[in-house]
Each structure stands twice: as structure tokens, then as C-alpha cells.
Amino acid sequence: MKVLIVGGVAGGATAAARIRRLDEQAEIIVFERSGYVSYANCGLPYYIGGIIEEQEELTLQTPESFFSRFRIVMKVRHEVTAVNPEKRTVSVRNLNSGEEFEETYDKLLLSPGAKPTLPRIPGTGIEKAFTLRTVEDTFRIREYIEKNHPKSAVLAGGGFISLELAENLKDMGMDVTIVQRPKQLMKPFDADMASFIHGEMRRCGVKLALGHTVEGFEERDGGVDVLLKDEEPLHADIVVLAIGVTPDTRLAKEAGLALGVRGSILVNERMETSAADIYAVGDAVQVQHYVTGEDSLISLAGPANKQGRIAADNICGGDSRYPGSLGSSIIKVFHMTAASTGINEVAAKRAGIDADKVILSPMSHAGYYPGGKVMTMKVVFEKGTYRLLGAQIVGYEGVDKRIDVMAAAIHAGMDAVRLKDLDLAYAPPYSSAKDPVNMAGFMIENISKGILKQFYVEDVKELPRDNSVTLLDVRTEFEYARGHIEGFKNIPVDDLRERIGEITPGKPVYVICQSGLRSYIAARILAGNGFDSYNFSGGFRFYDAVMHEKYLIEEAYPCGMERSGRQG
């Protein structure tokens, strides 16, 4: 059996090695357009910042190591220019010599990945405007920085690459601004949870221009003007476009293969395309979202690796199936960690799912053990069925552990209430006897039993201030004095029983505290005395973070952002 693989990196390289492990006699050839067949794509920003010091550390395998270990022929700097399903051949160009030839196959695997999304605006090709997707891109940016010592950078886009690069450039002493059209960073997160990411970026000196549309780039005064719609330009020494990625599916389209969303390659759960004996994996393929069942594009290394293994199994006569993608992801944001899995609240509503949520602020480990830090968790579930839909966590240590537990629970089909039953490891330096995941389950169980009723950030402005309801803040007098929501009366929770007479009977009571715990206790006290009460989900800490961020976004240029001297 002769197997050709177009593209290396995650999916293609994984498939090649798996095929060899399953079939010692197969002839396997991999064509890779770049000069690197297997590299750590997710590590590229950290090489630019010097965290990863040597170029060789980015390279997971070389053509020589692949051949030595697996007897797989890796042909780098070879571009497949056409796929010919009828002839069962591919057309190849050697980018070094210019030679062109055809190669036959019995089985063909397409792993072309994705390419940076380049908007159709003027100036994207200027020397000081970069994209970051390949090892070559990385070397180009680092070489330019080392040679020219730029003092400022504008990053267009607010996803993973942009945030990671912003941190690395800032740590190198550069003035960094992120500009993008949406009013929040990191699409996997709801806007309320993204507020914590925004806050960390600003605290660490990164300027955010959210809600601004880039219309082009112009070289000026030795740098670049970033032209914004209806705003003055931003000026920087370099620009990096990190708006997103687009499936690189030209070969599939020209070969007549069926395409899916955004021109991606349509595959079934065996990773088979519409053409016999042609498979496809990675960022270029359409997948089914594990939670919603919707057709999706999820460009992550984990799914690509799994798909490569599944395709390899089936190429070798097996019957492996890809169940879909959860989109589990995690990112380092300076000192913080932000992670998500499944779908967020916005995606749930867009999919027509009637969703509810709990927001909590547990400690990363036992409070009496030194060094614990607060994390913020948002768990989204379906009303009525309590089907677990997704989770978002922002914090410090322990975020990675909890998001992986949530991902496993969603994959296992657990309902949200059962989070309370998970038997999770506990020792004071690592967790609490009631793990944050368990705590989320306890809260959702209370909702299912009618013990807990909630109200949210988006409800506060609609609450009447006409004495038809009671608005109650149960924090200490000191906490209340430092900041509170207008119209909320202060009665500390420990005084509530003695001062219950100050609350008018027969009116609903909306209760808030700092994190949601004391207000829940207050709500139970009130319920025991005949009051109908609602607990604020997330507490004043959450409310303040969200509302403060909204205020900053409404400002035209937050954080003292540098503007160009140009008009218009």
C-alpha cells in the first residue's frame, strides 16, 4: 500500500507515524510545503519572546529523524499543486529546484491546515506588516525585531495568537496595542468572563482598542499607520495580523471534493472525503460540535492529532470514528490562566438552547493553606434537562485541572447536577474537600430543587427602584462603603436575623454579597422567614469587573492609547 500525505505538523505527521505502527510494509511519503514537517505551532509566540531560546526546540521531528525511526519519506519544500482523483495521482512542485512531477497513491490523506485570514484592505503586503502561522513567519518576525529593535506594535485580532504574542512583545519592552472589531477578546468566552482577561491585559500594560475596524495600513515616518474606520489612525513600528485563520482547501476544491462551512473539506466521522480513498484531517476539515451537533470549524492541535490517528486507522483497514470536537482550550494571559470547554452562553442561545448558568469564585486550594488564589468559574447548562453545555474559568493555579474535569464530564454525557458527585483528589496544597467543580454541582442541584433562585448582571439595571422590591447587600459595612450598586440597602449577613424587621414582608428580595456565598446564606435566612429571595450570581466582585470593563470599552481610546498625528 502506498500512502501519500499532504501536509505535516499535527494531523499529517501523527497519521504518518500511526500508519507505520500499523503497517510495517506500507510506503509512506509526506509532502510539506514549508521547510518544517513537524513543529510546535503553539510555541511560535514564545520563540519570538525568547521564552523558547533555540530554533531547534520548535522542531518536534525532522525529515531525517522521521526516516530513521519510521522509514517515512518526508519531502519538505515540496508543494502539492493538484490532486487528481481519477488518475489517483498528485502533482508536486519542488520549491527548491522548480522540478514538477506526479506521484501515484493507493490512499491519500490531506492535512493542509489553515492559512492566516488576510482582510481585503490596502497595505497588508507592506514590509512591516506580518502574519504568524508558520515557523518561517516566526523566524521572520524575530529576525526583524533583533535587527530593527521596534518600540511599538499593533496586533490586529484578539484570539490566541494575538494574546500570546502581546504578552511576549510586552515582556520584550515593546508598547503593544490590540485592535479588533468585536468589543471583547477571546471568542470562546462570554463577554462577562472576558472582562477578567481584559483587566489582566490592561494591568500588564497592553492597550486595548476594542470595537474598532481596521481599514488598511500605510507606511509613515519609518513605521505603520493602522487606519481605523471613523477614527484617527494608530501608529506603530510593526503590525501583526492575527485576525484568524481560513481553511486552506484550494486543492480539495479544485479536485472536486465536497466542501462544508466556510469552504472547509467535508468529511464523515471516519475522516473520509467525498472521493474514494482520500481522507482529510486538521484545521481544514469541517467537524461536528460535540455539544450542539452543528457543523463547525475548530482549529486546535488536539483535535487535529486525534483525527490523524483515526484516519490512519481507517487507511489501514480499521474502523475508527471521530465523535466531534468540544473546543477545549486554555491560554496563559500574563499571570493568569483562562480556559474554556464546550459552548458558552452566547453560543447556546444562538443554537436555540434554553440555557442557564452558575457563576462562582472558589479558591484554588484550601483557604487555610498559604498561597490560594480566587478563580472565577462560569458553568452553562440546559434548563429543565440540566444537560452540561460548557464551562469557562479564569484564574491562576488549578484552572487547567478544573477545565479538564469539566471537559471529561461533558464528553461523558453527565448532567450538571452530577458534578457534585465526582470523587476528586484532595489535599490542602491542591484543592478543597469540596472541589470547585463539586461546588458548581451543589449550586446547580439547589437550582434544580428550587432552593436557589438567581439574578444576573444583565438583570440589575432592570430591577425597580420604586420600593416594590427590596435590594439587599449583605457584605460588611466596610465592603459596602468601598463600592456598591445604587439602590441596594446594606445589612451584613451576620446581623440579618436581628434586623429582619427592616425588610418589608411580601416583597421579593434581591440579595448580593462579594462572591455569592454570603448572599446565598442570607437568601436561605430570608426564605426561612417567609421571603421570596433571589441570589446574585457571581457577587459584587463579578459585577464590578464586568461593569468596569463595559465602561472602559465605551471610552474612545482607553489606557492612554497612542494616536497618530494625522487627521481623518
Side-chain angles (χ1 to χ4, degrees):
M1 178 175 64
K2 183 177 181 180
V3 182
L4 301 185
I5 299 176
V6 181
V9 195
T14 294
R18 175 70 171 173
I19 292 168
R20 173 57 73 226
R21 289 193 294 269
L22 296 177
D23 187 342
E24 181 64 20
Q25 308 306 317
E27 180 184 1
I28 308 168
I29 303 174
V30 179
F31 295 109
E32 169 59 41
R33 182 170 47 199
S34 75
Y36 300 86
V37 71
S38 180
Y39 58 88
N41 196 299
C42 299
L44 301 184
Y46 299 100
Y47 175 76
I48 292 172
I51 303 299
I52 299 172
E53 296 181 354
E54 302 297 331
Q55 294 183 7
E56 293 74 18
E57 293 175 348
L58 291 172
T59 305
L60 304 178
Q61 292 281 356
T62 65
E64 294 76 19
S65 67
F66 247 106
F67 187 80
S68 176
R69 178 65 56 85
F70 298 111
R71 297 301 188 270
I72 293 171
V73 177
M74 294 283 186
K75 294 192 174 185
V76 297
R77 299 285 298 159
H78 280 68
E79 180 179 16
V80 173
T81 58
V83 174
N84 314 300
E86 301 82 5
K87 297 194 296 180
R88 301 175 73 87
T89 66
V90 299
S91 303
V92 186
R93 179 185 298 117
N94 184 325
L95 297 179
N96 291 327
S97 67
E99 174 197 4
E100 296 187 3
F101 59 94
E102 285 197 348
E103 193 79 51
T104 62
Y105 66 82
D106 296 312
K107 305 283 186 178
L108 175 65
L109 174 63
L110 301 178
S111 180
K115 55 189 176 184
T117 300
L118 291 177
R120 294 181 179 178
I121 56 178
T124 54
I126 64 178
E127 180 190 8
K128 297 177 178 66
F130 300 89
T131 58
L132 179 56
R133 182 65 180 174
T134 67
V135 172
E136 286 89 348
D137 293 336
T138 309
F139 294 162
R140 194 176 302 117
I141 294 173
R142 181 157 160 175
E143 181 181 347
Y144 185 89
I145 291 173
E146 290 174 345
K147 181 179 179 181
N148 296 279
H149 307 289
K151 298 294 189 296
S152 59
V154 168
L155 311 182
F160 290 95
I161 291 293
S162 187
L163 266 65
E164 291 167 347
L165 187 57
E167 177 178 347
N168 280 276
L169 295 181
K170 189 66 185 175
D171 287 346
M172 296 172 75
M174 295 176 64
D175 183 75
V176 180
T177 300
I178 295 177
V179 58
Q180 71 161 7
R181 183 166 49 196
K183 290 188 175 182
Q184 72 163 80
L185 303 174
M186 297 299 292
K187 186 178 178 181
F189 293 82
D190 287 312
D192 50 11
M193 294 296 288
S195 297
F196 293 91
I197 300 174
H198 297 173
E200 180 71 359
M201 298 295 283
R202 296 186 199 277
R203 276 190 295 273
C204 293
V206 175
K207 301 166 188 174
L208 304 181
L210 305 178
H212 298 282
T213 301
V214 176
E215 292 197 322
F217 307 97
E218 290 182 1
E219 292 190 88
R220 186 179 67 85
D221 296 340
V224 183
D225 271 350
V226 181
L227 309 179
L228 303 180
K229 183 178 181 181
D230 301 326
E231 298 287 349
E232 294 179 10
L234 303 176
H235 187 76
D237 294 330
I238 63 170
V239 168
V240 180
L241 281 74
I243 297 172
V245 294
T246 302
D248 190 356
T249 57
R250 179 189 62 82
L251 288 175
K253 182 178 181 180
E254 292 179 358
L257 303 185
L259 302 179
V261 294
R262 289 178 53 195
S264 58
I265 304 173
L266 189 65
V267 294
N268 61 19
E269 59 187 1
R270 287 170 46 86
M271 310 313 298
E272 295 170 322
T273 70
S274 59
D277 297 319
I278 300 181
Y279 299 74
V281 301
D283 295 352
V285 306
Q286 173 182 296
V287 297
Q288 188 178 70
H289 197 287
Y290 192 84
V291 174
T292 65
E294 294 179 338
D295 295 332
S296 305
L297 276 173
I298 298 179
S299 300
L300 294 167
N305 275 279
K306 296 179 185 70
Q307 292 161 15
R309 179 183 174 91
I310 289 166
D313 287 351
N314 295 325
I315 285 171
C316 294
D319 188 22
S320 293
R321 310 276 172 147
Y322 187 65
S325 295
L326 269 177
S328 302
S329 61
I330 190 166
I331 185 172
K332 178 181 180 292
V333 184
F334 288 96
H335 308 100
M336 293 182 70
T337 300
S340 69
T341 188
I343 58 173
N344 59 26
E345 186 180 5
V346 169
K349 290 179 179 178
R350 189 171 59 241
I353 301 172
D354 191 11
D356 202 352
K357 63 203 173 192
V358 292
I359 299 163
L360 59 158
S361 302
M363 294 287 286
S364 57
H365 61 238
Y368 60 84
Y369 187 89
K373 294 184 178 180
V374 175
M375 67 178 70
T376 303
M377 296 179 62
K378 180 175 184 177
V379 181
V380 182
F381 57 94
E382 187 174 29
K383 288 182 181 179
T385 67
Y386 295 93
R387 177 168 66 110
L388 191 56
L389 301 175
Q392 302 154 61
I393 312 177
V394 180
Y396 301 90
E397 63 182 36
V399 170
D400 53 343
K401 169 183 176 179
R402 274 71 188 207
I403 204 68
D404 283 344
V405 172
M406 297 299 300
I410 296 172
H411 190 86
M414 290 177 56
D415 68 55
V417 174
R418 287 188 58 203
L419 295 174
K420 69 184 178 66
D421 299 322
L422 291 176
D423 193 353
L424 304 173
Y426 159 64
Y430 303 105
S431 185
S432 300
K434 297 177 182 177
D435 188 86
V437 173
N438 296 139
M439 290 301 300
F442 294 147
M443 293 171 67
I444 296 168
E445 180 188 39
N446 285 340
I447 292 172
S448 72
K449 293 182 175 181
I451 296 171
L452 172 63
K453 292 186 287 186
Q454 300 186 110
F455 68 109
Y456 310 100
V457 169
E458 58 268 27
D459 300 324
V460 171
K461 65 181 179 181
E462 305 298 333
L463 292 175
R465 264 66 172 182
D466 60 358
N467 295 320
S468 60
V469 301
T470 299
L471 307 180
L472 183 62
D473 188 322
V474 297
R475 295 176 296 160
T476 65
E477 292 179 0
F478 175 73
E479 289 173 301
Y480 182 82
R482 290 181 63 186
H484 59 270
I485 303 174
E486 183 181 355
F488 277 72
K489 173 185 176 68
N490 182 222
I491 301 178
V493 65
D494 292 338
D495 300 338
L496 183 58
R497 290 182 176 89
E498 288 71 31
R499 297 175 61 181
I500 200 90
E502 298 179 27
I503 302 174
T504 306
K507 296 180 180 179
V509 185
Y510 292 83
V511 193
I512 191 171
C513 71
Q514 189 67 10
S515 69
L517 176 58
R518 284 173 289 172
S519 53
Y520 169 66
I521 294 170
R524 295 312 303 154
I525 294 171
L526 291 165
N529 285 274
F531 291 89
D532 184 22
S533 58
Y534 297 83
N535 186 34
F536 183 79
S537 186
F540 184 79
R541 169 183 175 272
F542 186 78
Y543 175 86
D544 188 45
V546 174
M547 298 309 294
H548 183 65
E549 180 56 35
K550 283 185 177 180
Y551 168 77
L552 288 176
I553 288 176
E554 288 169 2
E555 293 293 295
Y557 283 89
C559 298
M561 181 178 302
E562 178 187 357
R563 301 192 196 187
S564 166
R566 282 180 48 158
Q567 296 297 315

